[in-house]
Amino acid sequence: MTRARRFQRLAAPEALAWLQAHPQALVLDARQAHHHAQGRLPGSLRLDGRNHEGLLLSQAKDRPVFIHCYHGHASQTYAEMFADFGFVQVCDLIGGWEAWCQAGHPIHV
């Protein structure tokens, strides 16, 4: 028996529109710190194995969450964790940072 996914996967064009529609979203970057420092989604926070627990416990469960990584694989795992923890609106980026940049979307340096 397979479990239904409880988070939404968004392609880069959909993700930009979703982020614009949810300016209060918690935007999380699951890439390594030096890549995050070189360029990131505006307003994003680093997400790693040391701070995820604090974020899970400190954020309101009704706050939208958007997660991305390099290619869209690790972000699925993190998105599932946030959904499992009770966050009601969780999204991840299909194709990750690479897809975001290829789409020409804004980045913060």
Side-chain angles (χ1 to χ4, degrees), residues 24-60:
Q24 77 286 14
L26 176 62
V27 181
L28 300 173
D29 182 346
R31 298 175 303 140
Q32 293 180 0
H34 67 278
H35 289 121
H36 178 79
Q38 291 173 348
R40 60 197 165 278
L41 272 65
S44 67
L45 300 173
R46 271 268 301 126
L47 174 65
D48 62 31
R50 294 180 300 256
N51 70 348
H52 71 279
E53 192 173 298
L55 290 166
L56 288 167
L57 295 172
S58 68
Q59 299 298 311

